[in-house]
């Protein structure tokens, strides 16, 4: 009987520890547009909380919608939809797409309209290259001449309307 009490005591201790940890974890839930942030340093630092890759990053505009399901009572996987316009160093362009499948299809840049990109800075004149993950939860349009990448990261497949069909 004493052995069973010790086991129950250990399980309770582990459970209480998990609950305390979950309550103290930072909630990353957000719905942020970069144009709402005036300070350039703050804008980039905010993006870095949600973007693990930052190779050659020069400038960014974004909309981050992130539902953190990892905090609170029972943790679970987070949900997100992150749209980005990135200006990067020319030598880092391929590192942003080297693990994705390239497609010869064409899509509209209308998916990124909500970013309210300044047309004078974000000049998208070259023919974009389309890249995507196998489940289309990651989509990127690479404008090689301009060193610009339009990205979408999502937990749900991105609905793409092809222009050449």
């Amino acid at each position: 009987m004493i052995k069973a009490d010790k086991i129950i005591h250990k399980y309770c201790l582990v459970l209480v520890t998990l609950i305390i940890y979950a309550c103290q974890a930072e909630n990353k839930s957000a719905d942020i547009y970069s144009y709402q942030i005036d300070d350039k340093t703050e804008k980039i630092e905010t993006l870095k909380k949600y973007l693990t890759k930052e190779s050659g990053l020069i400038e960014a505009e974004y909309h981050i919608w992130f539902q953190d399901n990892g905090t609170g009572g029972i943790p679970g996987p987070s949900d997100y939809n992150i749209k980005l316009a990135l200006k990067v160093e020319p030598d880092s362009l391929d590192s942003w797409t080297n693990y994705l499948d390239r497609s010869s299809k064409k899509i509209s840049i209308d998916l990124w309209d909500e970013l309210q990109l300044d047309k004078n800075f974000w000049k998208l004149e070259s023919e974009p290259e389309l890249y995507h993950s196998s489940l289309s939860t990651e989509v990127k349009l690479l404008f090689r001449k301009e060193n610009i990448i339009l990205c979408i990261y999502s937990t749900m497949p991105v609905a793409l309307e092809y222009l050449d069909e």
Side-chain angles (χ1 to χ4, degrees), residues 33 35 61-64 81-85 105-117 119 124 130-132 136-141 143 149-154 156-163:
Y33 287 90
Y35 58 77
E61 295 295 338
Y62 52 82
H63 174 222
I64 298 170
N81 189 302
I82 301 172
K83 292 185 181 180
L84 305 159
K105 296 189 180 260
K106 309 291 182 222
I107 64 170
S108 171
I109 62 171
D110 293 348
L111 289 170
W112 290 270
D113 280 351
E114 68 183 282
L115 300 183
Q116 301 179 8
L117 300 176
K119 304 288 188 220
L124 305 173
L130 174 62
Y131 295 86
H132 58 82
S136 292
T137 55
E138 184 174 343
V139 176
K140 295 183 179 176
L141 276 180
F143 293 82
I149 307 169
L150 301 180
C151 313
I152 299 176
Y153 298 95
S154 182
M156 296 298 293
V158 178
L160 299 176
E161 293 184 27
Y162 296 107
L163 300 174

Side-chain angles (χ1 to χ4, degrees), residues 72-91:
I74 301 174
S78 297
D79 297 308
Y80 55 86
N81 189 302
I82 301 172
K83 292 185 181 180
L84 305 159
L86 305 172
K87 178 86 168 166
V88 298
E89 296 289 342
D91 60 347

Side-chain angles (χ1 to χ4, degrees), residues 18-147:
L18 287 173
I19 290 171
I20 290 171
Y21 175 76
C23 292
Q24 292 178 346
E26 177 188 358
N27 188 326
K28 291 175 58 176
S29 293
D31 190 0
I32 306 166
Y33 287 90
S34 59
Y35 58 77
Q36 297 171 324
I37 303 171
D38 293 329
D39 182 62
K40 182 178 178 178
T41 303
E42 182 184 346
K43 182 168 57 170
I44 297 298
E45 290 304 313
T46 299
L47 176 60
K48 287 179 181 179
K49 291 178 187 176
Y50 301 93
L51 187 66
T52 56
K53 183 173 186 55
E54 55 187 86
S55 175
L57 184 61
I58 297 171
E59 181 64 59
E61 295 295 338
Y62 52 82
H63 174 222
I64 298 170
W65 179 85
F66 192 94
Q67 177 62 49
D68 188 350
N69 299 321
T71 58
I74 301 174
S78 297
D79 297 308
Y80 55 86
N81 189 302
I82 301 172
K83 292 185 181 180
L84 305 159
L86 305 172
K87 178 86 168 166
V88 298
E89 296 289 342
D91 60 347
S92 68
L93 277 171
D94 291 328
S95 72
W96 287 85
T97 59
N98 61 5
Y99 54 92
L100 299 172
D101 299 324
R102 181 154 182 202
S103 174
S104 60
K105 296 189 180 260
K106 309 291 182 222
I107 64 170
S108 171
I109 62 171
D110 293 348
L111 289 170
W112 290 270
D113 280 351
E114 68 183 282
L115 300 183
Q116 301 179 8
L117 300 176
D118 177 353
K119 304 288 188 220
N120 294 321
F121 182 81
W122 298 94
K123 293 181 181 180
L124 305 173
E125 297 169 346
S126 65
E127 189 69 29
E129 302 168 16
L130 174 62
Y131 295 86
H132 58 82
S133 60
S134 60
L135 298 175
S136 292
T137 55
E138 184 174 343
V139 176
K140 295 183 179 176
L141 276 180
L142 189 146
F143 293 82
R144 200 169 286 278
K145 185 178 122 192
E146 297 87 348
N147 304 321

